[in-house]
Amino acid sequence: MRPSGRAPDALRPVILQVNPIRHAEGSCFVKFGHTHVLCTASVEGRVPPFLRNSGQGWVTAEYGMLPRSTHTRSEREAARGKQSGRTQEIQRLIGRSMRSVIDLKAMGEMTVTLDCDVIQADGGTRTAAITGAWVALSLAFRKVVKNRLLAASPVRGQVAAISCGLYKGTPVLDLDYAEDSEAEADGNFVLTADGGLVEVQATAEKRPMRPEEVDALMALAKVGCAALFKAQQEALGD
Amino acid sequence: MRPSGRAPDALRPVILQVNPIRHAEGSCFVKFGHTHVLCTASVEGRVPPFLRNSGQGWVTAEYGMLPRSTHTRSEREAARGKQSGRTQEIQRLIGRSMRSVIDLKAMGEMTVTLDCDVIQADGGTRTAAITGAWVALSLAFRKVVKNRLLAASPVRGQVAAISCGLYKGTPVLDLDYAEDSEAEADGNFVLTADGGLVEVQATAEKRPMRPEEVDALMALAKVGCAALFKAQQEALGD
Amino acid sequence: MRPSGRAPDALRPVILQVNPIRHAEGSCFVKFGHTHVLCTASVEGRVPPFLRNSGQGWVTAEYGMLPRSTHTRSEREAARGKQSGRTQEIQRLIGRSMRSVIDLKAMGEMTVTLDCDVIQADGGTRTAAITGAWVALSLAFRKVVKNRLLAASPVRGQVAAISCGLYKGTPVLDLDYAEDSEAEADGNFVLTADGGLVEVQATAEKRPMRPEEVDALMALAKVGCAALFKAQQEALGD
Amino acid sequence: MRPSGRAPDALRPVILQVNPIRHAEGSCFVKFGHTHVLCTASVEGRVPPFLRNSGQGWVTAEYGMLPRSTHTRSEREAARGKQSGRTQEIQRLIGRSMRSVIDLKAMGEMTVTLDCDVIQADGGTRTAAITGAWVALSLAFRKVVKNRLLAASPVRGQVAAISCGLYKGTPVLDLDYAEDSEAEADGNFVLTADGGLVEVQATAEKRPMRPEEVDALMALAKVGCAALFKAQQEALGD
Amino acid sequence: MRPSGRAPDALRPVILQVNPIRHAEGSCFVKFGHTHVLCTASVEGRVPPFLRNSGQGWVTAEYGMLPRSTHTRSEREAARGKQSGRTQEIQRLIGRSMRSVIDLKAMGEMTVTLDCDVIQADGGTRTAAITGAWVALSLAFRKVVKNRLLAASPVRGQVAAISCGLYKGTPVLDLDYAEDSEAEADGNFVLTADGGLVEVQATAEKRPMRPEEVDALMALAKVGCAALFKAQQEALGD
Amino acid sequence: MRPSGRAPDALRPVILQVNPIRHAEGSCFVKFGHTHVLCTASVEGRVPPFLRNSGQGWVTAEYGMLPRSTHTRSEREAARGKQSGRTQEIQRLIGRSMRSVIDLKAMGEMTVTLDCDVIQADGGTRTAAITGAWVALSLAFRKVVKNRLLAASPVRGQVAAISCGLYKGTPVLDLDYAEDSEAEADGNFVLTADGGLVEVQATAEKRPMRPEEVDALMALAKVGCAALFKAQQEALGD
């Protein structure tokens, strides 16, 4: 039924390659099928102005797509001179998702910036980015602890994200581009490994959703994230 | 329990003043308590490039806050030279919400732009904007029909929005600024009068949400929007 | 003779509503007929870099038009990414006009920003803005004195502004849009209540003006501002 | 009494060098004492979008200051990425002044752009620019006529500009920087050779002006412009 | 002697992976040691305005660095809102280099855009980009020919680039970051396989170069490019 | 053979007028035939952030073209809101060239900014700019020494620049616009008076260059710069 031939609750193959980038304090190259996102975590010993002298740290994110990560070339945002609303919406979501599992007070006045750059896009770039960013962030804090800049990692939980949608009336997990462009509704769910919901976003694309459909999407998201949490742990060698 | 003294499921007083602006094809000045938003609908006989010669229309939205709508003055986005990520996120949400109840094909090649400008802010500006924008949009299409530019209004449904959140562990409806800044979680729900969900967004601010909490927020949203749908109908004299 | 049916020396109905905005230190919603401008005064305890450690304060202004304040929708300056030359010219004029009656040294290192936002436009937005901004500024300084941040108000005079023009050869006062778009010449005059001239600007639109015509415009401006000074005093309850 | 040692009604030495720039259709290097402005007129065979198919032409102006034309270096506007409010105000004034003496309908669909670039600044750059721009514009139209693109020049009058101000209580003509920075009031007057007023702008800098003072400034402007009209005619060899 | 331990005329290991990106018409992931650049070629059936109706095609390039490709994180150009002078200099060089071996007239009105994005930087990113871009461009034209959009490839030559520099007085080939930051002089050479020079750039960093030193750099460049030409051919399977 | 009628190794007439601008610490108006560039050197007692507290100074450059310095009017970069890649490339080259002969450590924490503005363009603007900028810079340091802000000038060498190219197969010196637009190759060479090479840039425009052609261009550059060094010394009265 799905263009991808997958079962409704099947993820695409997930690969989380740790530390592909030698300069970054932590990095992860995440693949959800043909969607490939490079996530790097950069640690800096200062905080944005609104946190100066607060004793507290900050975690933030930026997101971008290479111009030819998409089916047809997209304009380069650096050339156009500004980031799109979509880019800003996604990078704000990644940042919020990371902060939901970090004890900012335990970080001291330090900033970690997650750069999530889409190398190849085939739907679900924001959920791949969140899933990979958490791995990069965890690796970066391990390095910070190893370098004795912090006594212990301020990571307090595990976070991952997956998309779900209504495709020809059926709730399906982890939509690729072909599915996403035809879906009646489309949602992104950010979950924690202990069963919490960090972000719930579902948007009707063709017709309003019924409440039980939203419930079904949330149930699928739980299934999908369970597999992602396991993949994250394996990637980190836990 | 609430700073506002309201019951958990109580809205603030809602006022929808129709056509306050003489130049606009449709307009609505919406008040949710001390949150005041001016919504105007402007009709133009052309469409954006991606729809030219498609025979289809477009509905879009822009959002702004007057610099002193807020407790302390915010920088004017026109002076700063760009719109914030938050502004873009909100105006995209308003546009999507309106399009969910409009038959774009029935519009012909015409664009309606909803401008939602916050005159005074006290929490919930995006939900007030959506609720008022639908009234302005409906009024604009009535004028278009009256002027015989279209035979019938392409409005196919009624849409409104409300915020809900977890405040000191309790699900509450229509948060004002004092409640919003202390909430554990915060969500915005866009509903249609026939029971559909157009947009579901819930964000954990202090701790991940439990699934039953998200359900409780959705239930409250349904209560709140029922009252808003009635207020919209009264404003339009239906 | 005038499209508005007014006598050549007649103002439109003037309304000055005080403190419509709860967050601002001072505010005034000013109406010159169908021209409606919201003026807010925001007080901040710091000065621009060029005045730091000077012991002196600053008064400045920003101006904007809501996109559908005009007959046809204007592009939103925040979306376009820059303010037009007209906007900048007007906000510089408002700022200069306010500073002409304020003792900046008596303010201490404090800044007051006047935001003048046009809600509905029908000609004369800059003169309405100046007239209303002075009321908002006066109210803000009253609050500053009441809060014991200053011992006395640094307001040293009363300032108002009105437009005059040559319409079908006749000098007329307070042009509305229909008159303004047909006028041979068009001027804006900023006066003080004690008979001083703060700013004199007259521009030939269709043919150069004769010196006696400029004199006639100035004489009309004096008549118009006398009425505005009275309205300002009544609004402030003096 | 004046820092420059000039009589109150004395201009600085005025030099108008014609066609210093070989590429431009017309150009004039104008000196008012140490204020030096290069004015070029560029003719293009098209009009801005709002005039297309109107059969009418357009005359516009741009203004800039070289970074070290001023006493201390000013930031380059091209590097800063935007033109200041002052720049925009001045270039709008130059454009309006030129259009006041041109029969745009007689131009056909052609645009002339006046570029006025300040090479060295010592007060009065906008009045020097207007005075020189008229010469450059006249030369450009002579070339257009010579090249048989138009049968006759659409120049219908002669325009020049001069500043006047109140310096230590005395009305003085053509202020240089030292005078301008100390003046109580400061005005710019754009006149036509047949006694018309195109633009009257007078601004109180230290105290409101009295009406008779504005009259005195206007009288001085008439004296100054008479000399400028003569210099323009000599420069053009009339 | 070199920090890298390489002989003065030794390149770093060169890897050219063909078509790593499924959406692009041609792509190449090029590695010069730890410098990794992703080059994609995107074909579009239109040309920039200056070539419309000329019957001629265009080849252009854009360049970017991922924020954490560098030792410490660099600001994202899309977030900063403009591209640096260095970025623009490099992308102009890549475009010129490609055009030097393409018969633009034989392309018809088609544009190929080379996007060169630095995934990891360790010196020599522009030379790696040029070397990889030529492979991506060749692959894209093969696809264009295969899809019968052109009868034959308009590639007329083979181009590659390498850096050379003076390190502690010795001319060395293909500087890595550690060498580059200490070099007395630094050059980039773009050569064609038939012995031509497309671009010669050498810059003194610490002291002016002697003519014979420039000659030595050029000789090294020839050695380096010979190896690159061979690697390009092997990558393309020629 | 050359459109200009010059011998292959003949420069255009070179004029270096010293201190034409009264406000600048040093200035030079340089003419290479019809190419006219105004160079000013501005001294400021502070350094960019990356040099603060380093005890070291900085020399930098900005470049611009007046809109009508060119054959047809170019868009004003300040109006367009950004500098072109060409502008940035040239101003970086001028800055590097100046720094190659300045002892930045001997300057103390002081910045000199060279503004090179093209008044009239006829090819070779960047080489004229470099040649004139060195004179302006030398004059500025003389003034700094005269004002006892430094004990001795930090100028350690003499730098000038010239273009060379291949025109109809012949290497020629100092190309004007007519030659430059037809040349097969085009290079810019920055030399020091003691025989050093600061920058070597040669670009193939129509066909790759042969190595001996690059050698011939370099030989011509040496001839041309010898004459420029003499002209610079005469201008400075040495």
Side-chain angles (χ1 to χ4, degrees):
Chain A
M1 185 273 301
R2 300 176 70 171
S4 60
R6 282 183 280 148
D9 63 349
L11 291 177
R12 291 174 284 181
V14 172
I15 296 174
L16 295 162
Q17 180 192 351
V18 298
N19 284 333
I21 297 298
R22 59 173 19 220
H23 302 316
E25 282 73 28
S27 60
C28 177
F29 188 42
V30 52
K31 299 186 184 183
F32 280 17
H34 293 306
T35 289
H36 301 175
V37 184
L38 180 59
C39 307
T40 59
S42 297
V43 179
E44 287 168 298
R46 54 192 171 77
V47 285
F50 72 92
L51 284 178
R52 269 177 211 149
N53 303 316
S54 70
Q56 182 180 328
W58 190 240
V59 175
T60 185
E62 295 193 0
Y63 170 92
M65 297 181 89
L66 294 195
R68 198 52 197 278
S69 59
T70 44
H71 283 76
T72 57
R73 186 176 184 271
S74 315
E75 200 183 0
R76 186 178 289 267
E77 290 190 329
R80 201 164 61 106
K82 64 175 186 175
Q83 294 178 300
S84 70
R86 177 185 172 276
T87 292
Q88 294 195 56
E89 197 169 311
I90 293 175
Q91 63 194 12
R92 284 156 52 90
L93 173 63
I94 302 170
R96 275 202 309 272
S97 298
M98 294 302 114
R99 288 192 297 273
S100 74
V101 292
I102 300 298
D103 182 347
L104 298 174
K105 293 211 175 79
M107 281 175 70
E109 294 203 4
M110 174 189 293
T111 296
V112 184
T113 303
L114 279 313
D115 285 290
C116 300
D117 284 276
V118 178
I119 304 300
Q120 189 172 271
D122 187 37
T125 63
R126 82 186 69 187
T127 54
I130 290 168
T131 304
W134 183 81
V135 174
L137 182 61
S138 298
L139 291 166
F141 277 125
R142 285 188 186 184
K143 188 157 189 185
V144 165
V145 171
K146 198 177 161 197
N147 291 347
R148 296 174 190 269
L149 296 168
L150 284 180
S153 171
V155 179
R156 294 288 175 267
Q158 192 177 347
V159 71
I162 199 69
S163 74
C164 307
L166 295 172
Y167 182 79
K168 303 200 175 177
T170 303
V172 298
L173 184 65
D174 188 24
L175 290 77
D176 58 30
Y177 179 79
E179 294 163 349
D180 188 54
S181 53
E182 294 292 314
E184 291 103 59
D186 174 21
N188 294 287
F189 298 84
V190 184
L191 275 69
T192 56
D194 58 2
L197 294 155
V198 169
E199 186 93 21
V200 171
Q201 283 189 325
T203 302
E205 297 286 348
K206 300 217 167 129
R207 56 164 179 80
M209 303 170 277
R210 294 191 305 274
E212 60 274 22
E213 290 174 330
V214 176
D215 292 345
L217 299 183
M218 277 208 250
L220 272 182
K222 201 169 172 185
V223 170
C225 284
L228 296 175
F229 292 130
K230 207 173 147 205
Q232 288 176 327
Q233 286 169 340
E234 284 168 7
L236 291 177
D238 292 346
Chain B
M1 184 273 299
R2 299 176 71 170
S4 60
R6 282 184 282 149
D9 63 350
L11 292 176
R12 291 174 285 181
V14 172
I15 294 174
L16 295 162
Q17 182 192 349
V18 298
N19 284 332
I21 297 298
R22 58 172 21 218
H23 302 316
E25 282 73 29
S27 61
C28 178
F29 188 42
V30 52
K31 300 186 182 181
F32 280 17
H34 294 306
T35 289
H36 302 175
V37 183
L38 180 60
C39 306
T40 59
S42 297
V43 178
E44 288 169 297
R46 52 193 172 78
V47 286
F50 72 94
L51 284 178
R52 272 179 210 150
N53 303 318
S54 70
Q56 182 180 326
W58 190 240
V59 176
T60 185
E62 296 194 358
Y63 170 93
M65 298 182 87
L66 294 195
R68 197 52 197 278
S69 59
T70 44
H71 283 76
T72 57
R73 186 176 183 272
S74 315
E75 201 183 359
R76 185 178 291 265
E77 289 189 329
R80 203 163 63 106
K82 64 175 186 175
Q83 295 178 299
S84 70
R86 178 186 171 277
T87 290
Q88 295 195 57
E89 197 169 311
I90 292 175
Q91 62 194 14
R92 283 157 53 90
L93 174 63
I94 301 170
R96 275 201 311 270
S97 299
M98 294 303 113
R99 289 191 298 273
S100 74
V101 292
I102 301 297
D103 182 346
L104 298 174
K105 292 207 177 83
M107 280 176 70
E109 294 204 4
M110 175 189 292
T111 297
V112 185
T113 304
L114 279 314
D115 285 289
C116 300
D117 285 276
V118 179
I119 305 299
Q120 189 172 272
D122 187 36
T125 63
R126 82 187 69 186
T127 55
I130 290 168
T131 304
W134 183 82
V135 174
L137 181 61
S138 298
L139 290 166
F141 277 124
R142 286 188 186 185
K143 189 158 189 183
V144 164
V145 171
K146 198 177 160 196
N147 292 346
R148 297 174 189 267
L149 296 167
L150 284 180
S153 171
V155 179
R156 295 286 175 267
Q158 192 178 346
V159 71
I162 199 67
S163 73
C164 306
L166 296 172
Y167 181 78
K168 303 201 176 176
T170 303
V172 297
L173 184 66
D174 187 24
L175 289 77
D176 61 29
Y177 179 80
E179 293 162 352
D180 188 56
S181 54
E182 294 292 314
E184 290 104 59
D186 174 22
N188 294 289
F189 299 83
V190 185
L191 275 70
T192 56
D194 58 0
L197 293 156
V198 169
E199 185 92 21
V200 172
Q201 282 189 325
T203 303
E205 298 286 349
K206 301 216 165 127
R207 56 164 179 81
M209 302 170 279
R210 294 189 306 272
E212 61 273 22
E213 289 174 332
V214 176
D215 292 344
L217 297 183
M218 277 207 251
L220 271 181
K222 202 171 171 183
V223 171
C225 284
L228 295 174
F229 291 130
K230 207 173 146 205
Q232 287 175 327
Q233 287 169 339
E234 285 168 6
L236 290 177
D238 292 346
Chain C
M1 185 271 302
R2 300 176 70 169
S4 60
R6 281 183 281 149
D9 63 349
L11 292 176
R12 291 174 284 181
V14 172
I15 294 173
L16 295 161
Q17 181 192 349
V18 297
N19 284 333
I21 298 297
R22 59 172 20 219
H23 302 316
E25 282 73 28
S27 61
C28 177
F29 188 42
V30 52
K31 300 185 183 182
F32 281 16
H34 293 307
T35 290
H36 302 175
V37 184
L38 180 59
C39 306
T40 58
S42 297
V43 178
E44 288 168 298
R46 52 194 171 78
V47 286
F50 72 92
L51 283 178
R52 270 178 212 150
N53 303 317
S54 70
Q56 184 180 325
W58 191 241
V59 175
T60 186
E62 295 194 358
Y63 170 93
M65 298 181 88
L66 293 195
R68 197 51 198 278
S69 59
T70 45
H71 283 74
T72 56
R73 186 175 184 271
S74 315
E75 201 183 0
R76 186 178 290 266
E77 291 190 327
R80 203 166 60 107
K82 65 175 184 175
Q83 295 178 300
S84 70
R86 177 185 172 275
T87 291
Q88 294 195 57
E89 197 169 311
I90 293 175
Q91 63 194 13
R92 284 156 52 91
L93 173 63
I94 301 170
R96 276 201 310 272
S97 299
M98 294 303 113
R99 290 192 295 275
S100 74
V101 292
I102 300 298
D103 182 348
L104 298 175
K105 293 210 175 81
M107 280 175 69
E109 294 203 3
M110 172 189 295
T111 296
V112 184
T113 303
L114 279 313
D115 285 289
C116 299
D117 285 276
V118 179
I119 304 299
Q120 189 170 273
D122 187 37
T125 63
R126 81 187 70 186
T127 54
I130 290 168
T131 304
W134 183 82
V135 174
L137 182 61
S138 298
L139 290 166
F141 278 125
R142 285 189 186 182
K143 189 158 190 185
V144 164
V145 171
K146 198 176 160 196
N147 291 347
R148 296 174 191 268
L149 296 168
L150 285 180
S153 171
V155 179
R156 294 289 174 266
Q158 192 177 346
V159 73
I162 199 69
S163 73
C164 306
L166 296 171
Y167 180 79
K168 303 201 175 175
T170 303
V172 297
L173 185 65
D174 188 23
L175 290 76
D176 59 30
Y177 179 78
E179 294 163 349
D180 188 55
S181 53
E182 295 292 314
E184 291 103 57
D186 174 23
N188 294 289
F189 298 84
V190 184
L191 274 70
T192 56
D194 59 1
L197 293 155
V198 169
E199 186 93 21
V200 172
Q201 282 189 326
T203 303
E205 298 285 350
K206 300 216 166 129
R207 56 166 179 80
M209 302 170 279
R210 294 190 305 273
E212 60 274 21
E213 289 174 331
V214 176
D215 293 345
L217 298 184
M218 277 208 248
L220 272 181
K222 202 170 170 184
V223 171
C225 284
L228 295 175
F229 293 131
K230 210 174 144 203
Q232 288 176 326
Q233 287 169 339
E234 285 169 6
L236 291 177
D238 292 348
Chain D
M1 186 272 299
R2 299 176 71 171
S4 60
R6 282 183 281 149
D9 63 351
L11 292 176
R12 291 174 284 181
V14 172
I15 294 173
L16 295 160
Q17 182 193 347
V18 298
N19 283 334
I21 297 298
R22 58 172 20 221
H23 303 315
E25 281 73 28
S27 61
C28 178
F29 188 42
V30 52
K31 300 185 183 183
F32 281 16
H34 294 306
T35 290
H36 302 174
V37 183
L38 180 60
C39 306
T40 59
S42 297
V43 178
E44 288 167 298
R46 51 190 172 81
V47 286
F50 72 93
L51 284 178
R52 270 177 211 152
N53 303 317
S54 70
Q56 183 180 325
W58 191 240
V59 176
T60 185
E62 295 194 1
Y63 170 93
M65 299 183 87
L66 295 194
R68 197 50 196 280
S69 60
T70 44
H71 283 77
T72 56
R73 186 176 185 273
S74 315
E75 200 183 358
R76 185 178 291 265
E77 290 189 329
R80 204 165 59 106
K82 65 175 186 175
Q83 295 178 299
S84 71
R86 177 185 173 277
T87 290
Q88 295 196 55
E89 196 169 314
I90 292 174
Q91 64 194 14
R92 283 156 53 91
L93 174 62
I94 300 170
R96 276 200 310 273
S97 299
M98 293 303 114
R99 289 191 296 274
S100 73
V101 293
I102 300 298
D103 182 347
L104 298 175
K105 293 208 175 84
M107 280 176 70
E109 294 203 5
M110 175 188 292
T111 296
V112 184
T113 303
L114 280 312
D115 285 290
C116 300
D117 284 276
V118 179
I119 305 299
Q120 189 171 273
D122 187 37
T125 62
R126 82 186 69 186
T127 54
I130 289 168
T131 303
W134 183 83
V135 174
L137 181 61
S138 299
L139 291 166
F141 278 124
R142 286 188 185 185
K143 190 158 190 185
V144 164
V145 171
K146 199 176 159 196
N147 291 347
R148 297 173 190 269
L149 296 168
L150 285 180
S153 170
V155 178
R156 295 286 174 267
Q158 191 177 348
V159 72
I162 198 69
S163 74
C164 305
L166 296 172
Y167 181 79
K168 303 201 176 176
T170 302
V172 297
L173 184 65
D174 187 24
L175 289 77
D176 60 27
Y177 179 79
E179 294 163 349
D180 188 57
S181 54
E182 294 292 315
E184 291 102 58
D186 175 21
N188 293 290
F189 299 83
V190 184
L191 274 69
T192 57
D194 58 1
L197 294 155
V198 170
E199 186 93 21
V200 173
Q201 283 189 324
T203 302
E205 298 286 349
K206 301 218 165 126
R207 56 166 179 80
M209 302 170 278
R210 294 190 305 272
E212 61 273 21
E213 288 174 332
V214 176
D215 292 344
L217 298 183
M218 277 207 249
L220 271 181
K222 202 171 171 185
V223 171
C225 284
L228 295 174
F229 292 129
K230 209 174 145 204
Q232 288 175 326
Q233 287 169 338
E234 285 169 6
L236 290 177
D238 293 346
Chain E
M1 184 274 299
R2 299 176 70 170
S4 60
R6 281 183 281 149
D9 62 351
L11 291 176
R12 291 174 285 180
V14 172
I15 295 173
L16 294 161
Q17 180 192 349
V18 298
N19 284 333
I21 298 297
R22 58 172 20 220
H23 303 315
E25 282 73 29
S27 61
C28 178
F29 188 43
V30 52
K31 300 186 183 183
F32 280 17
H34 294 306
T35 290
H36 302 175
V37 184
L38 179 61
C39 306
T40 59
S42 297
V43 178
E44 288 169 297
R46 52 192 171 79
V47 286
F50 73 92
L51 284 177
R52 270 176 211 153
N53 303 317
S54 70
Q56 183 179 327
W58 191 240
V59 176
T60 186
E62 295 194 0
Y63 170 92
M65 299 182 87
L66 295 195
R68 197 53 197 278
S69 60
T70 44
H71 283 75
T72 57
R73 185 176 184 272
S74 314
E75 199 182 359
R76 184 179 290 267
E77 289 189 329
R80 203 165 61 106
K82 64 176 186 175
Q83 295 178 299
S84 71
R86 177 185 173 277
T87 290
Q88 294 195 57
E89 197 168 314
I90 292 174
Q91 63 194 13
R92 283 155 54 89
L93 174 63
I94 300 170
R96 276 201 310 273
S97 299
M98 294 303 114
R99 289 190 296 274
S100 74
V101 292
I102 300 297
D103 182 347
L104 298 175
K105 293 209 174 82
M107 280 176 70
E109 293 203 4
M110 174 189 291
T111 297
V112 185
T113 303
L114 279 313
D115 285 289
C116 300
D117 285 277
V118 179
I119 305 298
Q120 190 172 271
D122 187 37
T125 63
R126 82 186 71 186
T127 55
I130 289 168
T131 303
W134 183 82
V135 174
L137 182 61
S138 299
L139 290 166
F141 278 124
R142 286 188 185 184
K143 187 157 192 185
V144 164
V145 171
K146 198 176 160 196
N147 292 345
R148 296 173 189 267
L149 296 167
L150 285 180
S153 171
V155 179
R156 296 287 174 268
Q158 192 177 347
V159 71
I162 200 67
S163 74
C164 306
L166 296 171
Y167 181 78
K168 303 201 175 177
T170 303
V172 297
L173 184 65
D174 187 25
L175 290 77
D176 59 28
Y177 179 80
E179 293 163 351
D180 188 56
S181 54
E182 294 292 313
E184 291 102 60
D186 174 23
N188 293 290
F189 299 83
V190 184
L191 274 68
T192 56
D194 59 0
L197 293 155
V198 169
E199 185 92 22
V200 172
Q201 283 188 323
T203 303
E205 298 286 348
K206 301 218 164 126
R207 57 164 179 79
M209 302 170 279
R210 293 190 306 272
E212 61 273 21
E213 289 174 332
V214 176
D215 292 345
L217 298 183
M218 277 206 250
L220 271 181
K222 202 171 171 182
V223 170
C225 284
L228 295 174
F229 293 129
K230 209 173 144 206
Q232 288 175 327
Q233 288 169 338
E234 285 169 5
L236 291 178
D238 293 346
Chain F
M1 185 273 302
R2 299 177 69 170
S4 61
R6 282 182 281 148
D9 64 349
L11 290 177
R12 290 174 286 181
V14 172
I15 294 173
L16 295 161
Q17 180 192 349
V18 298
N19 284 333
I21 297 297
R22 59 172 20 220
H23 303 315
E25 281 75 28
S27 61
C28 178
F29 188 43
V30 53
K31 299 186 184 182
F32 279 18
H34 294 306
T35 289
H36 302 175
V37 184
L38 180 60
C39 307
T40 59
S42 297
V43 179
E44 288 169 297
R46 53 195 171 76
V47 285
F50 72 93
L51 284 176
R52 270 179 211 150
N53 303 317
S54 71
Q56 183 179 324
W58 190 240
V59 175
T60 185
E62 295 193 0
Y63 170 92
M65 298 182 87
L66 294 194
R68 198 53 197 279
S69 59
T70 44
H71 283 74
T72 57
R73 186 176 185 270
S74 316
E75 200 182 0
R76 186 178 290 267
E77 290 189 328
R80 202 164 61 106
K82 64 177 185 174
Q83 295 179 300
S84 70
R86 178 185 172 275
T87 291
Q88 294 195 57
E89 196 168 312
I90 293 175
Q91 63 194 13
R92 284 156 53 90
L93 173 63
I94 300 170
R96 278 201 307 273
S97 298
M98 294 303 113
R99 289 191 297 273
S100 75
V101 292
I102 300 299
D103 183 347
L104 297 175
K105 293 211 175 80
M107 280 175 69
E109 294 202 5
M110 174 188 294
T111 296
V112 184
T113 303
L114 279 313
D115 285 290
C116 299
D117 284 276
V118 178
I119 305 299
Q120 190 173 272
D122 187 37
T125 63
R126 82 186 71 186
T127 54
I130 289 168
T131 304
W134 183 82
V135 175
L137 182 61
S138 298
L139 290 166
F141 278 125
R142 285 189 186 182
K143 188 157 189 185
V144 164
V145 171
K146 198 177 159 196
N147 291 346
R148 296 173 189 270
L149 296 167
L150 285 180
S153 171
V155 179
R156 295 288 175 266
Q158 192 177 346
V159 73
I162 199 68
S163 74
C164 305
L166 296 172
Y167 181 79
K168 304 200 176 179
T170 304
V172 297
L173 184 65
D174 188 23
L175 289 78
D176 59 29
Y177 178 80
E179 294 163 349
D180 188 56
S181 53
E182 294 292 313
E184 291 103 57
D186 174 24
N188 293 289
F189 298 83
V190 184
L191 275 70
T192 57
D194 59 0
L197 294 155
V198 169
E199 186 92 22
V200 172
Q201 283 189 323
T203 303
E205 299 284 350
K206 301 216 165 128
R207 57 166 179 79
M209 303 170 278
R210 295 190 305 273
E212 60 274 21
E213 289 174 331
V214 176
D215 293 345
L217 298 183
M218 277 208 250
L220 272 182
K222 201 171 172 183
V223 171
C225 285
L228 295 175
F229 293 129
K230 208 174 145 204
Q232 288 176 328
Q233 286 169 340
E234 284 169 6
L236 291 177
D238 292 347

